[in-house]
Amino acid sequence: MSKYVRKMFRPGSGHRRVKAGERGIALVMVLVLSAISLAIMAGLVYMLTVGTQTSGSHKRYRSAVEAGKAGTEIAYDLIAARGNLSIPTISLYLPSNTDSGGKSCLTNKLNNNTATWSGCNSTMPIDPDQEGTYDWSFQLGTGSQSYTVYAKIVDTVEGNSAGSIGLTKGGVVNTNSGEITVMSRPYLYTLEVDSQRSSGPRERAKYSILYKY
């Protein structure tokens, strides 16, 4: 006759029987901790990826900003040259924009108050696909690293500084010649400059400038 030996577990003996329910709870805890670990790792990877993308975007934006700064300097030279700028390394493009009287919009904007710009665009936005929305453009750089700069005059306050002011001293009477010198009153130009990568508008920077000439 077979004998069965039953091993008795007494409190304090150091032995404990693991029930099926407890094993299930342990498995659930392991799965929860694994999910948390995976979530943390995924978050770290996402943060690293976003950081890299942000750094690259900032670098590209800085390039567009520098192109825009160069564009503003050329805009100043263009105004000083009264629209007849000649720089050997810059190929300036002037759209054939004219006012209602057939006069060049750029010439009109350089020499007259905004109120006289009949038929010329004076809004702030620049659309590279529409020549009527900018007064001139040019390209900086070559190949895939080139940027196109678009600029326009959106407001002009007429002055007297466009002519020769070499003899003006402040609006006083010259007792020797009897002539009255006129006090210099500069032109004020409000400019919009838009620089963007030639391969696409994703890298873009804009400037709004008040320039005294």
Side-chain angles (χ1 to χ4, degrees):
M1 183 175 180
S2 299
K3 295 182 179 180
Y4 296 90
V5 179
R6 178 182 296 177
K7 188 175 182 179
M8 302 299 293
F9 294 92
R10 297 185 302 276
S13 62
H15 299 281
R16 181 173 181 273
R17 179 175 295 178
V18 179
K19 298 181 180 179
E22 293 178 339
R23 288 197 296 269
I25 293 174
L27 178 60
V28 171
M29 291 298 297
V30 170
L31 293 176
V32 170
L33 293 175
S34 299
I36 294 175
S37 300
L38 289 174
I40 294 174
M41 293 178 63
L44 292 174
V45 172
Y46 175 76
M47 292 174 62
L48 289 174
T49 302
V50 171
T52 302
Q53 293 176 345
T54 302
S55 177
S57 178
H58 181 71
K59 182 178 180 180
R60 291 191 297 269
Y61 174 70
R62 291 300 306 172
S63 298
V65 166
E66 293 301 322
K69 287 182 179 179
T72 60
E73 295 296 330
I74 293 176
Y76 302 155
D77 292 340
L78 179 69
I79 292 174
R82 315 312 293 164
N84 297 314
L85 180 67
S86 179
I87 301 178
T89 57
I90 298 295
S91 179
L92 198 67
Y93 174 69
L94 301 176
S96 56
N97 300 328
T98 57
D99 60 16
S100 56
K103 186 177 180 180
S104 169
C105 280
L106 179 58
T107 301
N108 199 349
K109 290 181 176 183
L110 286 171
N111 298 286
N112 301 289
N113 287 324
T114 310
T116 67
W117 299 355
S118 178
C120 295
N121 188 292
S122 61
T123 59
M124 296 181 66
I126 292 177
D127 185 352
D129 296 327
Q130 298 183 17
E131 293 188 352
T133 63
Y134 60 91
D135 296 330
W136 67 89
S137 67
F138 55 90
Q139 185 172 305
L140 297 173
T142 58
S144 60
Q145 299 301 317
S146 65
Y147 286 81
T148 304
V149 180
Y150 304 88
K152 67 190 296 186
I153 300 174
V154 297
D155 183 69
T156 300
V157 177
E158 189 176 358
N160 60 9
S161 56
S164 175
I165 57 173
L167 299 177
T168 61
K169 298 296 182 181
V172 297
V173 177
N174 188 328
T175 56
N176 294 326
S177 63
E179 297 179 353
I180 299 177
T181 56
V182 180
M183 182 179 294
S184 175
R185 182 168 59 88
Y187 278 74
L188 291 177
Y189 297 100
T190 301
L191 305 170
E192 289 293 315
V193 177
D194 187 331
S195 65
Q196 66 179 43
R197 197 182 187 99
S198 300
S199 59
R202 190 164 67 94
E203 300 172 26
R204 190 175 187 180
K206 295 184 178 181
Y207 287 85
S208 294
I209 305 162
L210 179 62
Y211 178 59
K212 181 173 71 173
Y213 170 70

mmCIF file of all heavy atoms in Angstrom, residues 32-76:
data_model
loop_
_atom_site.group_PDB
_atom_site.id
_atom_site.type_symbol
_atom_site.label_atom_id
_atom_site.label_comp_id
_atom_site.label_asym_id
_atom_site.label_seq_id
_atom_site.Cartn_x
_atom_site.Cartn_y
_atom_site.Cartn_z
ATOM 1 N N VAL A 32 4.237 46.168 -16.074
ATOM 2 C CA VAL A 32 4.058 47.607 -15.844
ATOM 3 C C VAL A 32 5.403 48.325 -15.795
ATOM 4 O O VAL A 32 5.613 49.374 -16.410
ATOM 5 C CB VAL A 32 3.252 47.848 -14.555
ATOM 6 C CG1 VAL A 32 3.282 49.331 -14.173
ATOM 7 C CG2 VAL A 32 1.820 47.388 -14.733
ATOM 8 N N LEU A 33 6.350 47.738 -15.057
ATOM 9 C CA LEU A 33 7.684 48.344 -14.959
ATOM 10 C C LEU A 33 8.384 48.363 -16.317
ATOM 11 O O LEU A 33 9.073 49.325 -16.664
ATOM 12 C CB LEU A 33 8.524 47.595 -13.930
ATOM 13 C CG LEU A 33 8.066 47.711 -12.473
ATOM 14 C CD1 LEU A 33 8.908 46.818 -11.566
ATOM 15 C CD2 LEU A 33 8.158 49.159 -12.014
ATOM 16 N N SER A 34 8.186 47.315 -17.102
ATOM 17 C CA SER A 34 8.785 47.284 -18.448
ATOM 18 C C SER A 34 8.189 48.365 -19.343
ATOM 19 O O SER A 34 8.896 49.031 -20.104
ATOM 20 C CB SER A 34 8.564 45.900 -19.076
ATOM 21 O OG SER A 34 9.178 44.884 -18.313
ATOM 22 N N ALA A 35 6.866 48.544 -19.226
ATOM 23 C CA ALA A 35 6.201 49.577 -20.020
ATOM 24 C C ALA A 35 6.689 50.967 -19.631
ATOM 25 O O ALA A 35 6.918 51.833 -20.484
ATOM 26 C CB ALA A 35 4.689 49.478 -19.847
ATOM 27 N N ILE A 36 6.868 51.189 -18.327
ATOM 28 C CA ILE A 36 7.381 52.484 -17.865
ATOM 29 C C ILE A 36 8.790 52.722 -18.389
ATOM 30 O O ILE A 36 9.132 53.821 -18.848
ATOM 31 C CB ILE A 36 7.343 52.547 -16.330
ATOM 32 C CG1 ILE A 36 5.886 52.536 -15.839
ATOM 33 C CG2 ILE A 36 8.068 53.786 -15.823
ATOM 34 C CD1 ILE A 36 5.754 52.466 -14.327
ATOM 35 N N SER A 37 9.628 51.698 -18.337
ATOM 36 C CA SER A 37 11.002 51.826 -18.837
ATOM 37 C C SER A 37 11.015 52.143 -20.325
ATOM 38 O O SER A 37 11.779 52.995 -20.795
ATOM 39 C CB SER A 37 11.775 50.527 -18.565
ATOM 40 O OG SER A 37 11.832 50.248 -17.182
ATOM 41 N N LEU A 38 10.157 51.442 -21.086
ATOM 42 C CA LEU A 38 10.077 51.710 -22.524
ATOM 43 C C LEU A 38 9.593 53.129 -22.798
ATOM 44 O O LEU A 38 10.086 53.803 -23.717
ATOM 45 C CB LEU A 38 9.157 50.688 -23.190
ATOM 46 C CG LEU A 38 9.694 49.256 -23.303
ATOM 47 C CD1 LEU A 38 8.608 48.325 -23.853
ATOM 48 C CD2 LEU A 38 10.931 49.206 -24.195
ATOM 49 N N ALA A 39 8.618 53.598 -22.002
ATOM 50 C CA ALA A 39 8.108 54.959 -22.177
ATOM 51 C C ALA A 39 9.197 55.991 -21.904
ATOM 52 O O ALA A 39 9.332 56.986 -22.628
ATOM 53 C CB ALA A 39 6.907 55.191 -21.262
ATOM 54 N N ILE A 40 9.995 55.759 -20.866
ATOM 55 C CA ILE A 40 11.095 56.673 -20.546
ATOM 56 C C ILE A 40 12.125 56.696 -21.680
ATOM 57 O O ILE A 40 12.603 57.754 -22.104
ATOM 58 C CB ILE A 40 11.744 56.290 -19.210
ATOM 59 C CG1 ILE A 40 10.761 56.507 -18.056
ATOM 60 C CG2 ILE A 40 13.016 57.092 -18.977
ATOM 61 C CD1 ILE A 40 11.266 56.021 -16.721
ATOM 62 N N MET A 41 12.471 55.519 -22.177
ATOM 63 C CA MET A 41 13.440 55.435 -23.276
ATOM 64 C C MET A 41 12.907 56.117 -24.534
ATOM 65 O O MET A 41 13.637 56.843 -25.225
ATOM 66 C CB MET A 41 13.772 53.964 -23.556
ATOM 67 C CG MET A 41 14.536 53.275 -22.436
ATOM 68 S SD MET A 41 14.852 51.535 -22.798
ATOM 69 C CE MET A 41 15.881 51.679 -24.265
ATOM 70 N N ALA A 42 11.625 55.894 -24.827
ATOM 71 C CA ALA A 42 11.020 56.541 -25.999
ATOM 72 C C ALA A 42 11.022 58.056 -25.839
ATOM 73 O O ALA A 42 11.271 58.800 -26.800
ATOM 74 C CB ALA A 42 9.600 56.030 -26.209
ATOM 75 N N GLY A 43 10.751 58.530 -24.615
ATOM 76 C CA GLY A 43 10.784 59.975 -24.369
ATOM 77 C C GLY A 43 12.159 60.566 -24.571
ATOM 78 O O GLY A 43 12.312 61.642 -25.140
ATOM 79 N N LEU A 44 13.195 59.849 -24.102
ATOM 80 C CA LEU A 44 14.567 60.329 -24.280
ATOM 81 C C LEU A 44 14.946 60.380 -25.761
ATOM 82 O O LEU A 44 15.568 61.351 -26.220
ATOM 83 C CB LEU A 44 15.534 59.423 -23.513
ATOM 84 C CG LEU A 44 15.442 59.484 -21.978
ATOM 85 C CD1 LEU A 44 16.355 58.432 -21.356
ATOM 86 C CD2 LEU A 44 15.824 60.878 -21.493
ATOM 87 N N VAL A 45 14.579 59.345 -26.500
ATOM 88 C CA VAL A 45 14.873 59.332 -27.939
ATOM 89 C C VAL A 45 14.160 60.482 -28.639
ATOM 90 O O VAL A 45 14.726 61.163 -29.500
ATOM 91 C CB VAL A 45 14.470 57.978 -28.561
ATOM 92 C CG1 VAL A 45 14.577 58.033 -30.076
ATOM 93 C CG2 VAL A 45 15.343 56.861 -28.006
ATOM 94 N N TYR A 46 12.893 60.724 -28.254
ATOM 95 C CA TYR A 46 12.124 61.813 -28.859
ATOM 96 C C TYR A 46 12.763 63.164 -28.560
ATOM 97 O O TYR A 46 12.876 64.026 -29.442
ATOM 98 C CB TYR A 46 10.698 61.783 -28.330
ATOM 99 C CG TYR A 46 9.855 62.938 -28.795
ATOM 100 C CD1 TYR A 46 9.337 62.980 -30.096
ATOM 101 C CD2 TYR A 46 9.581 64.010 -27.937
ATOM 102 C CE1 TYR A 46 8.567 64.050 -30.521
ATOM 103 C CE2 TYR A 46 8.813 65.082 -28.358
ATOM 104 C CZ TYR A 46 8.309 65.097 -29.652
ATOM 105 O OH TYR A 46 7.557 66.165 -30.074
ATOM 106 N N MET A 47 13.197 63.349 -27.306
ATOM 107 C CA MET A 47 13.837 64.609 -26.933
ATOM 108 C C MET A 47 15.124 64.835 -27.703
ATOM 109 O O MET A 47 15.411 65.952 -28.156
ATOM 110 C CB MET A 47 14.101 64.632 -25.426
ATOM 111 C CG MET A 47 12.837 64.692 -24.574
ATOM 112 S SD MET A 47 13.165 64.556 -22.796
ATOM 113 C CE MET A 47 14.177 66.013 -22.545
ATOM 114 N N LEU A 48 15.910 63.776 -27.882
ATOM 115 C CA LEU A 48 17.144 63.905 -28.653
ATOM 116 C C LEU A 48 16.851 64.242 -30.112
ATOM 117 O O LEU A 48 17.518 65.080 -30.720
ATOM 118 C CB LEU A 48 17.949 62.601 -28.559
ATOM 119 C CG LEU A 48 18.589 62.291 -27.201
ATOM 120 C CD1 LEU A 48 19.210 60.897 -27.228
ATOM 121 C CD2 LEU A 48 19.647 63.330 -26.866
ATOM 122 N N THR A 49 15.821 63.594 -30.676
ATOM 123 C CA THR A 49 15.468 63.855 -32.075
ATOM 124 C C THR A 49 14.977 65.282 -32.269
ATOM 125 O O THR A 49 15.399 65.980 -33.191
ATOM 126 C CB THR A 49 14.374 62.873 -32.528
ATOM 127 O OG1 THR A 49 14.838 61.533 -32.357
ATOM 128 C CG2 THR A 49 14.029 63.094 -33.991
ATOM 129 N N VAL A 50 14.093 65.727 -31.366
ATOM 130 C CA VAL A 50 13.578 67.096 -31.461
ATOM 131 C C VAL A 50 14.688 68.115 -31.273
ATOM 132 O O VAL A 50 14.751 69.141 -31.958
ATOM 133 C CB VAL A 50 12.458 67.318 -30.423
ATOM 134 C CG1 VAL A 50 12.058 68.789 -30.356
ATOM 135 C CG2 VAL A 50 11.247 66.473 -30.773
ATOM 136 N N GLY A 51 15.600 67.843 -30.341
ATOM 137 C CA GLY A 51 16.724 68.749 -30.118
ATOM 138 C C GLY A 51 17.596 68.886 -31.352
ATOM 139 O O GLY A 51 18.031 69.985 -31.703
ATOM 140 N N THR A 52 17.848 67.769 -32.028
ATOM 141 C CA THR A 52 18.651 67.807 -33.256
ATOM 142 C C THR A 52 17.942 68.582 -34.353
ATOM 143 O O THR A 52 18.555 69.405 -35.059
ATOM 144 C CB THR A 52 18.937 66.376 -33.736
ATOM 145 O OG1 THR A 52 19.620 65.650 -32.701
ATOM 146 C CG2 THR A 52 19.807 66.390 -34.976
ATOM 147 N N GLN A 53 16.635 68.346 -34.491
ATOM 148 C CA GLN A 53 15.869 69.064 -35.500
ATOM 149 C C GLN A 53 15.820 70.559 -35.206
ATOM 150 O O GLN A 53 15.952 71.392 -36.115
ATOM 151 C CB GLN A 53 14.449 68.498 -35.582
ATOM 152 C CG GLN A 53 14.383 67.072 -36.120
ATOM 153 C CD GLN A 53 12.980 66.517 -36.091
ATOM 154 O OE1 GLN A 53 12.088 67.061 -35.436
ATOM 155 N NE2 GLN A 53 12.751 65.411 -36.785
ATOM 156 N N THR A 54 15.639 70.914 -33.942
ATOM 157 C CA THR A 54 15.583 72.324 -33.565
ATOM 158 C C THR A 54 16.910 73.018 -33.824
ATOM 159 O O THR A 54 16.963 74.142 -34.319
ATOM 160 C CB THR A 54 15.203 72.462 -32.079
ATOM 161 O OG1 THR A 54 13.946 71.824 -31.852
ATOM 162 C CG2 THR A 54 15.114 73.916 -31.672
ATOM 163 N N SER A 55 18.002 72.329 -33.493
ATOM 164 C CA SER A 55 19.328 72.889 -33.732
ATOM 165 C C SER A 55 19.565 73.132 -35.221
ATOM 166 O O SER A 55 20.068 74.181 -35.619
ATOM 167 C CB SER A 55 20.400 71.952 -33.169
ATOM 168 O OG SER A 55 21.690 72.439 -33.445
ATOM 169 N N GLY A 56 19.176 72.158 -36.055
ATOM 170 C CA GLY A 56 19.333 72.318 -37.497
ATOM 171 C C GLY A 56 18.463 73.429 -38.043
ATOM 172 O O GLY A 56 18.896 74.222 -38.896
ATOM 173 N N SER A 57 17.223 73.534 -37.534
ATOM 174 C CA SER A 57 16.319 74.592 -37.975
ATOM 175 C C SER A 57 16.859 75.962 -37.596
ATOM 176 O O SER A 57 16.791 76.908 -38.393
ATOM 177 C CB SER A 57 14.930 74.383 -37.361
ATOM 178 O OG SER A 57 14.048 75.415 -37.720
ATOM 179 N N HIS A 58 17.395 76.082 -36.384
ATOM 180 C CA HIS A 58 17.963 77.354 -35.945
ATOM 181 C C HIS A 58 19.156 77.750 -36.815
ATOM 182 O O HIS A 58 19.312 78.924 -37.172
ATOM 183 C CB HIS A 58 18.391 77.247 -34.480
ATOM 184 C CG HIS A 58 18.968 78.514 -33.924
ATOM 185 N ND1 HIS A 58 18.196 79.628 -33.657
ATOM 186 C CD2 HIS A 58 20.250 78.853 -33.607
ATOM 187 C CE1 HIS A 58 18.968 80.590 -33.182
ATOM 188 N NE2 HIS A 58 20.217 80.136 -33.147
ATOM 189 N N LYS A 59 19.979 76.769 -37.147
ATOM 190 C CA LYS A 59 21.145 77.053 -37.984
ATOM 191 C C LYS A 59 20.718 77.536 -39.368
ATOM 192 O O LYS A 59 21.278 78.489 -39.911
ATOM 193 C CB LYS A 59 22.014 75.796 -38.106
ATOM 194 C CG LYS A 59 23.288 76.010 -38.915
ATOM 195 C CD LYS A 59 24.123 74.746 -38.960
ATOM 196 C CE LYS A 59 25.396 74.961 -39.781
ATOM 197 N NZ LYS A 59 26.228 73.721 -39.825
ATOM 198 N N ARG A 60 19.697 76.879 -39.944
ATOM 199 C CA ARG A 60 19.203 77.295 -41.254
ATOM 200 C C ARG A 60 18.589 78.686 -41.186
ATOM 201 O O ARG A 60 18.750 79.507 -42.092
ATOM 202 C CB ARG A 60 18.194 76.275 -41.781
ATOM 203 C CG ARG A 60 18.804 74.925 -42.144
ATOM 204 C CD ARG A 60 17.805 74.064 -42.897
ATOM 205 N NE ARG A 60 16.628 73.752 -42.071
ATOM 206 C CZ ARG A 60 16.547 72.670 -41.311
ATOM 207 N NH1 ARG A 60 17.560 71.817 -41.245
ATOM 208 N NH2 ARG A 60 15.450 72.435 -40.602
ATOM 209 N N TYR A 61 17.866 78.967 -40.096
ATOM 210 C CA TYR A 61 17.257 80.284 -39.948
ATOM 211 C C TYR A 61 18.324 81.365 -39.835
ATOM 212 O O TYR A 61 18.178 82.456 -40.397
ATOM 213 C CB TYR A 61 16.360 80.303 -38.710
ATOM 214 C CG TYR A 61 15.804 81.674 -38.392
ATOM 215 C CD1 TYR A 61 14.842 82.261 -39.217
ATOM 216 C CD2 TYR A 61 16.244 82.383 -37.275
ATOM 217 C CE1 TYR A 61 14.334 83.516 -38.931
ATOM 218 C CE2 TYR A 61 15.744 83.638 -36.996
ATOM 219 C CZ TYR A 61 14.792 84.196 -37.817
ATOM 220 O OH TYR A 61 14.310 85.447 -37.536
ATOM 221 N N ARG A 62 19.402 81.076 -39.120
ATOM 222 C CA ARG A 62 20.484 82.053 -38.994
ATOM 223 C C ARG A 62 21.091 82.369 -40.359
ATOM 224 O O ARG A 62 21.464 83.512 -40.630
ATOM 225 C CB ARG A 62 21.568 81.519 -38.051
ATOM 226 C CG ARG A 62 21.174 81.425 -36.602
ATOM 227 C CD ARG A 62 20.780 82.777 -36.031
ATOM 228 N NE ARG A 62 21.808 83.786 -36.243
ATOM 229 C CZ ARG A 62 21.656 85.079 -35.975
ATOM 230 N NH1 ARG A 62 20.487 85.507 -35.531
ATOM 231 N NH2 ARG A 62 22.630 85.939 -36.165
ATOM 232 N N SER A 63 21.173 81.372 -41.230
ATOM 233 C CA SER A 63 21.691 81.621 -42.578
ATOM 234 C C SER A 63 20.771 82.569 -43.338
ATOM 235 O O SER A 63 21.228 83.488 -44.031
ATOM 236 C CB SER A 63 21.837 80.299 -43.348
ATOM 237 O OG SER A 63 22.761 79.440 -42.709
ATOM 238 N N ALA A 64 19.453 82.358 -43.215
ATOM 239 C CA ALA A 64 18.494 83.251 -43.870
ATOM 240 C C ALA A 64 18.571 84.657 -43.282
ATOM 241 O O ALA A 64 18.436 85.656 -44.009
ATOM 242 C CB ALA A 64 17.088 82.680 -43.737
ATOM 243 N N VAL A 65 18.795 84.754 -41.970
ATOM 244 C CA VAL A 65 18.921 86.061 -41.322
ATOM 245 C C VAL A 65 20.133 86.812 -41.851
ATOM 246 O O VAL A 65 20.067 88.012 -42.147
ATOM 247 C CB VAL A 65 19.014 85.890 -39.787
ATOM 248 C CG1 VAL A 65 19.480 87.183 -39.129
ATOM 249 C CG2 VAL A 65 17.677 85.472 -39.221
ATOM 250 N N GLU A 66 21.254 86.118 -41.998
ATOM 251 C CA GLU A 66 22.461 86.759 -42.513
ATOM 252 C C GLU A 66 22.262 87.223 -43.958
ATOM 253 O O GLU A 66 22.742 88.283 -44.359
ATOM 254 C CB GLU A 66 23.651 85.797 -42.417
ATOM 255 C CG GLU A 66 24.073 85.457 -40.993
ATOM 256 C CD GLU A 66 24.456 86.694 -40.200
ATOM 257 O OE1 GLU A 66 25.087 87.606 -40.780
ATOM 258 O OE2 GLU A 66 24.124 86.755 -39.006
ATOM 259 N N ALA A 67 21.554 86.413 -44.742
ATOM 260 C CA ALA A 67 21.251 86.823 -46.122
ATOM 261 C C ALA A 67 20.376 88.070 -46.117
ATOM 262 O O ALA A 67 20.553 88.976 -46.943
ATOM 263 C CB ALA A 67 20.560 85.682 -46.870
ATOM 264 N N GLY A 68 19.423 88.134 -45.182
ATOM 265 C CA GLY A 68 18.572 89.308 -45.077
ATOM 266 C C GLY A 68 19.354 90.551 -44.685
ATOM 267 O O GLY A 68 19.090 91.652 -45.190
ATOM 268 N N LYS A 69 20.330 90.396 -43.787
ATOM 269 C CA LYS A 69 21.174 91.531 -43.394
ATOM 270 C C LYS A 69 21.946 92.065 -44.593
ATOM 271 O O LYS A 69 22.059 93.282 -44.789
ATOM 272 C CB LYS A 69 22.135 91.117 -42.281
ATOM 273 C CG LYS A 69 21.480 90.920 -40.931
ATOM 274 C CD LYS A 69 22.515 90.558 -39.878
ATOM 275 C CE LYS A 69 21.874 90.379 -38.518
ATOM 276 N NZ LYS A 69 22.873 90.002 -37.479
ATOM 277 N N ALA A 70 22.490 91.160 -45.388
ATOM 278 C CA ALA A 70 23.195 91.590 -46.597
ATOM 279 C C ALA A 70 22.234 92.302 -47.545
ATOM 280 O O ALA A 70 22.598 93.293 -48.193
ATOM 281 C CB ALA A 70 23.819 90.384 -47.291
ATOM 282 N N GLY A 71 20.990 91.806 -47.598
ATOM 283 C CA GLY A 71 19.991 92.444 -48.451
ATOM 284 C C GLY A 71 19.672 93.860 -48.020
ATOM 285 O O GLY A 71 19.448 94.738 -48.860
ATOM 286 N N THR A 72 19.637 94.106 -46.703
ATOM 287 C CA THR A 72 19.365 95.462 -46.226
ATOM 288 C C THR A 72 20.502 96.418 -46.595
ATOM 289 O O THR A 72 20.255 97.567 -46.960
ATOM 290 C CB THR A 72 19.156 95.480 -44.708
ATOM 291 O OG1 THR A 72 20.346 94.999 -44.044
ATOM 292 C CG2 THR A 72 18.003 94.581 -44.319
ATOM 293 N N GLU A 73 21.740 95.950 -46.519
ATOM 294 C CA GLU A 73 22.872 96.802 -46.887
ATOM 295 C C GLU A 73 22.811 97.183 -48.366
ATOM 296 O O GLU A 73 23.088 98.322 -48.745
ATOM 297 C CB GLU A 73 24.193 96.085 -46.577
ATOM 298 C CG GLU A 73 24.438 95.826 -45.102
ATOM 299 C CD GLU A 73 24.587 97.111 -44.307
ATOM 300 O OE1 GLU A 73 25.053 98.124 -44.883
ATOM 301 O OE2 GLU A 73 24.231 97.102 -43.117
ATOM 302 N N ILE A 74 22.448 96.232 -49.210
ATOM 303 C CA ILE A 74 22.328 96.514 -50.635
ATOM 304 C C ILE A 74 21.148 97.449 -50.891
ATOM 305 O O ILE A 74 21.193 98.317 -51.780
ATOM 306 C CB ILE A 74 22.187 95.198 -51.422
ATOM 307 C CG1 ILE A 74 23.491 94.402 -51.315
ATOM 308 C CG2 ILE A 74 21.839 95.456 -52.883
ATOM 309 C CD1 ILE A 74 23.453 93.051 -51.971
ATOM 310 N N ALA A 75 20.080 97.308 -50.094
ATOM 311 C CA ALA A 75 18.941 98.213 -50.226
ATOM 312 C C ALA A 75 19.361 99.653 -49.923
ATOM 313 O O ALA A 75 18.944 100.592 -50.620
ATOM 314 C CB ALA A 75 17.807 97.777 -49.292
ATOM 315 N N TYR A 76 20.196 99.841 -48.904
ATOM 316 C CA TYR A 76 20.684 101.183 -48.588
ATOM 317 C C TYR A 76 21.488 101.754 -49.754
ATOM 318 O O TYR A 76 21.335 102.930 -50.119
ATOM 319 C CB TYR A 76 21.564 101.155 -47.336
ATOM 320 C CG TYR A 76 20.898 100.605 -46.098
ATOM 321 C CD1 TYR A 76 21.655 100.052 -45.069
ATOM 322 C CD2 TYR A 76 19.510 100.636 -45.955
ATOM 323 C CE1 TYR A 76 21.044 99.552 -43.929
ATOM 324 C CE2 TYR A 76 18.896 100.132 -44.815
ATOM 325 C CZ TYR A 76 19.668 99.585 -43.806
ATOM 326 O OH TYR A 76 19.062 99.075 -42.678
#
